[in-house]
Amino acid sequence: MSPAPEGPATLAEDEVRSLARLANLDLPDAEIRRLTGDLGRILAYVRQLEELDVTGIEPTAHVELGFGAEGAAGRPGAPSVEPTRVELRADEPHESLPHEIALREAPRTSMDGFAVPGFVEED
Amino acid sequence: MDATVLDRSIPELAGLVTRGEVSAEEVTKASLDRITRRDGALGAFLTVQAEEALSAARAVDQKRARGEALGPLAGVPIGIKDALCTRDAPTTAGSRILLRPASKGEATLDPRRGFRPPYDATVVARLREADAVLVGKTNLDEFAMGSSNENSAFFPTKNPWDPSRIPGGSSGGSAVAVAAGLALGALGSDTGGSIRQPAALTGTVGIKPTYGRVSRYGLIAFASSLDQVGPFAADVRSAARLLGVIAGRDPHDQTSLGAPVAAYEEACGRDVRGMRIGVPEEYFAKGLEPAVEKSVREALAGLASLGCELRPVRLPHTRYAVATYYVLATAEASSNLARYDGVRFGARAEGAESLGALYAKTRGEGFGREVARRIVLGTYVLSSGYYDAYYLRAQRVRTLIRRDFEEVFREVDVIAAPVSPTVAFPLGERVDDPLAMYLADIYTLPASLAGVPALSVPCAPTPATNSVPSLPVGLQLVGPPLEEARLCALAAAWEGISPARGLRPKVSEA
């Protein structure tokens, strides 16, 4: 079972800065400060989830109708329409997006590809 | 051309076009003309595709002239939330980050420079196949994150009932396009209430279908386990017709359901006597404005007068819905929004000397404050050390919320409740208080988390006072999975006796 979070009730500015870095967000210091306050208040609110005992409760990642014991079909008050099982698409080759269309919206292209700054250290 | 043709219902207008009593071109011109005269003050549309709309309308008229059968939306002007991809037409998600870089002399913030998708969202393609005319892309909170439309990177949308107030969000532009009679229908998306809440606050009908009932292919993803596309219209039958066109299995969306699409429009005439209506006490708790409660209670009495049986029910985990949602939705968003990096499409920051700096600078400049806040919160709840405590715990609470609904639907056919605890609030009132903004969604989030269908239908507007005009109130009807037809039947029966029936805001024209 998941223990109660051991983190502080509020976040420190440095933590927010490193979260922003993890999320690839370059934010000015004033925004980091503001965000620190906002997230602290939101997390303090979110922590009310700790009141609940969720031992043995299966997580719902995604509501899938007609699957497993949680499915609505066959229950009293269940839908009159029987949900059908999600089926996989046939594994068939399709035409892919034409090269020039795929590149059409790129801010910068080079040699028939997306252009980006060099990411290999060069001397 | 008499613009009142735009005040017809969708089935009526499609009938007029099909019988040749009015041409699709005339209707489209009327819609475009109204947008020109009314939308400057409202901001419902980000971009208008006038040429494309007129040529689509002429194609419908030519089809008729050739004696071909027309589709169920023949000549009907529709607005599309700008979170849905429209082939070759600008698509912005309300964000700077999807704008192509400006050339010299171009405005930096112009939605017409939005990303041009190479394909149509499935729902958009289905509207076109049904002979609808797509007039433009409607305004929204950036990436559908917000409850007021104030998070649009471009401009806020105003409520036509009182332009000093918000229209709700995130599909506020779609709601206003319909409420102000600019288009007869619109598509929105609902992740935590983004169709129902603006429908309630603008006096329109909005349906959030069962998760998976409508394809999400081509909907710019916010929280994939919750996102659902749905219609707005001025009346229940019109919304039902739109839903019938867009619903159904789509091989491009693995989560779309293969169950047969029900006859939503036909259901609108169905007898509702004997229907068991659950009234959850948790939805009438502290925070509900007395004027809203009064209007919703009157609607419940109206349902009883139609022969429905009202029963008190309990949805005990309702109070945890906001916390659960803001963990799960932000986690999913932080992952979905990772794709905006300045490389393949949209904006790119200048002057970055490494790839990492390019990503971070582009995203830091490109995302608005609310989107950045949610990405960072989502990153936090998914980070190692906090994953179990926040994300996994919220998923387990989501199960409890789903079970609440499963239990209640053993005893009742439909749940009836308010949509929003308040009427439309003044612009700017909550922009600096994200938590207050999130709490506006308390009554819409549970159905989203449970994946069940829900709609908003107008009930009596609040009475005008010296300082506040009469404002719309929505009645929320929630059903078991795939029971959209039942909701349409009940909503249409209520609409038949509702004091809000036929009420339209008085919109000033330029």
Side-chain angles (χ1 to χ4, degrees), chain B residues 115-177:
Chain B
F115 167 64
R116 292 163 303 176
Y119 65 95
D120 274 331
T122 295
V123 289
V124 168
R126 287 188 178 171
L127 292 183
R128 293 193 208 272
E129 281 158 24
D131 291 324
V133 173
L134 312 186
V135 288
K137 306 295 293 286
T138 60
N139 204 356
L140 67 159
D141 287 298
E142 185 177 4
F143 286 103
M145 297 178 187
S147 309
S148 71
N149 247 64
E150 293 164 295
N151 294 337
S152 165
F154 304 103
F155 42 81
T157 302
K158 317 253 170 79
N159 194 317
W161 294 87
D162 175 357
S164 74
R165 289 170 188 270
I166 58 102
S170 66
S171 313
S174 290
V176 171

Side-chain angles (χ1 to χ4, degrees), chain B residues 162 165 291 423 461-471:
Chain B
D162 175 357
R165 289 170 188 270
V423 291
T462 56
T465 67
N466 286 340
S467 51
V468 181
S470 174
L471 292 167

Side-chain angles (χ1 to χ4, degrees), chain A residues 31 38 51 57-58 60 115, chain B residues 259 320 348 369 373 396 399:
Chain A
E31 278 305 304
D38 288 345
E51 297 163 18
I57 307 289
E58 283 297 304
T60 297
Chain B
Y320 300 103
R348 167 182 289 204
R369 187 169 280 158
R373 186 153 51 215
R396 296 187 202 277
T399 302

Side-chain angles (χ1 to χ4, degrees), chain A residues 82-104:
Chain A
E82 187 71 14
T84 26
R85 219 184 140 77
V86 173
E87 277 170 34
L88 295 179
R89 190 170 67 212
D91 185 15
E92 288 160 354
H94 289 277
E95 221 171 292
S96 55
L97 205 58
H99 201 80
E100 65 276 14
I101 300 287
L103 289 175
R104 171 178 89 170

Side-chain angles (χ1 to χ4, degrees), chain B residues 357-381:
Chain B
L358 172 73
Y359 294 158
K361 205 155 178 265
T362 298
R363 291 162 59 80
E365 291 172 8
F367 290 131
R369 187 169 280 158
E370 179 62 22
V371 174
R373 186 153 51 215
R374 295 201 195 188
I375 290 173
V376 174
L377 180 58
T379 304
Y380 177 71
V381 300

